């Protein structure tokens, strides 16, 4: 099962929006929001849907799309609908080749025997969400399809909570704002004070837990990655496992491995992660 949204939710409206900033160039901002909408849709969209979702005049969106199509950033199909073009793939490859973090993840994520059969993710914090930069799929089927570029509420995920735990409580409150907490399952944390208690435990342990908060029946363990001279986590790694049949011994193996991977990646970036953890709390 992948991370699903309501079938009536407009994909263009669901695209992430840049913060309002008078220093931004309006045309560039609109073009990026339009590309975000095409990426979030998962299918080709008609001009009218894009204009409505972005609350822009059709004429403006038509002009932007014509430019994006000419530059290879978007494409128009035979039905006149629009989707992402091939150029973003070239940028994704360039980002991967330039990122020392991605290279380190590729080099180290397979080095821990306890993680060989499990799904391991690399994520960064973007506002109140996590975005997955890389994923090494395990051999066990999971309830969620963790894909590169996928986004989840940080408060529901172990990787997100591992990074939030490196921030002050005040900064966490600022990121989450005053809106209701996003919940993916009935077990997702429902209030900021409850989340802050989880983050306090994550700081003490050196890792964070998602106990069926992203998907029922799935448990995840995440650990922060630090860059050189950084007090806030630059990224996080997490491992997701099926909760049923997970023994205390196996849980300890997984936690030691994912925190070990986080230390290896922090070292590759010139940073220092928390010391190794002992047996996990029951």
């Amino acid at each position: 099962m992948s991370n699903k949204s309501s079938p009536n939710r407009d994909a263009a409206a669901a695209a992430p929006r840049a913060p309002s900033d008078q220093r931004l160039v309006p045309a560039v901002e609109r073009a990026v929001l339009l590309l975000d909408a095409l990426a979030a849709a998962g299918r080709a969209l008609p001009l009218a849907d894009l204009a409505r979702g972005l609350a822009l005049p059709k004429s403006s969106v038509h002009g932007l799309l014509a430019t994006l199509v000419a530059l290879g950033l978007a494409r128009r199909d035979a039905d006149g609908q629009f989707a992402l073009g091939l150029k973003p793939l070239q940028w994704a490859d360039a980002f991967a080749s330039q990122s020392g973090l991605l290279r380190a993840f590729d080099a180290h994520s397979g080095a821990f025997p306890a993680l060989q059969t499990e799904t391991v993710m690399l994520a960064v914090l973007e506002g109140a969400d996590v975005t997955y930069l890389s994923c090494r799929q395990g051999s066990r089927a999971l309830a969620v399809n963790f894909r590169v570029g996928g986004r989840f509420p940080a408060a529901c995920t172990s990787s997100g909570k591992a990074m939030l735990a490196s921030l002050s409580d005040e900064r966490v409150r600022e990121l989450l704002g005053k809106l209701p907490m996003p919940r993916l399952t009935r077990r997702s944390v429902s209030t900021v004070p409850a989340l802050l208690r989880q983050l306090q435990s994550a700081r003490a342990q050196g890792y964070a837990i998602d106990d069926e908060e992203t998907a029922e029946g799935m448990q995840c363990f995440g650990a922060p990655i630090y860059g050189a001279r950084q007090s806030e986590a630059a990224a996080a790694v997490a491992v997701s496992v099926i909760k049923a049949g997970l023994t205390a011994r196996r849980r300890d193996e997984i936690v030691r491995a994912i925190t070990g991977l986080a230390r290896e990646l922090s070292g590759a970036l010139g940073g220092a992660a928390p010391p190794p953890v002992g047996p996990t709390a029951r």
Side-chain angles (χ1 to χ4, degrees):
M1 178 185 72
S2 61
N3 183 35
K4 296 180 180 179
S5 59
S6 166
N8 296 320
R9 184 182 183 189
D10 188 82
R17 291 181 177 271
S20 176
D21 190 330
Q22 61 182 2
R23 295 171 298 176
L24 298 180
V25 177
V28 176
E29 183 182 9
R30 288 193 293 270
V32 171
L33 291 174
L34 182 52
L35 289 169
D36 282 340
L38 293 173
R43 59 183 177 85
L45 291 175
L47 170 64
D49 285 2
L50 289 163
R52 182 175 61 254
L54 296 173
L56 293 173
K58 284 186 180 180
S59 58
S60 298
V61 176
H62 182 271
L64 288 169
L65 285 168
T67 301
L68 294 174
V69 169
L71 296 175
L73 292 168
R75 58 184 172 84
R76 184 174 183 176
D77 64 20
D79 295 326
Q81 298 189 347
F82 296 89
L84 281 181
L86 294 176
K87 180 67 71 67
L89 283 176
Q90 300 174 20
W91 289 352
D93 288 342
F95 174 77
S97 66
Q98 295 171 19
S99 171
L101 177 59
L102 283 175
R103 290 197 301 272
F105 179 78
D106 289 341
H108 294 281
S109 61
F112 292 82
L115 302 178
Q116 290 294 332
T117 59
E118 313 298 349
T119 296
V120 182
M121 299 83 66
L122 173 68
V124 292
L125 191 65
E126 290 193 328
D129 293 335
V130 292
T131 297
Y132 293 105
L133 299 183
S134 188
C135 179
R136 202 205 69 212
Q137 298 289 348
S139 58
R140 309 175 197 271
L142 291 175
V144 172
N145 176 25
F146 293 102
R147 59 181 178 81
V148 174
R151 294 171 68 94
F152 284 85
C156 297
T157 67
S158 63
S159 57
K161 286 188 279 192
M163 289 182 281
L164 290 174
S166 72
L167 309 179
S168 67
D169 286 357
E170 180 181 4
R171 180 66 180 133
V172 172
R173 291 189 185 96
E174 289 176 359
L175 283 177
L176 297 179
K178 297 182 180 179
L179 297 177
M181 293 282 288
R183 303 187 70 192
L184 300 180
T185 75
R186 59 186 176 85
R187 297 191 59 141
S188 298
V189 63
S190 59
T191 67
V192 172
L195 172 64
L196 294 177
R197 288 193 293 272
Q198 290 187 357
L199 299 184
Q200 185 177 8
S201 296
R203 294 180 190 116
Q205 296 172 157
Y207 64 94
I209 303 172
D210 155 15
D211 190 5
E212 300 188 80
E213 295 175 70
T214 298
E216 293 185 5
M218 191 174 74
Q219 197 167 57
C220 306
F221 305 92
I225 299 167
Y226 292 90
R229 297 178 298 279
Q230 289 183 341
S231 60
E232 297 181 359
V237 281
V239 56
S240 294
V241 299
I242 301 300
K243 187 176 180 181
L246 183 63
T247 65
R249 179 178 179 180
R250 176 61 177 152
R251 174 185 163 115
D252 286 346
E253 290 175 348
I254 288 173
V255 167
R256 282 194 291 267
I258 200 65
T259 53
L261 175 57
R263 287 193 303 278
E264 292 281 346
L265 297 180
S266 295
L269 298 182
V277 299
T280 60
R282 312 287 182 234

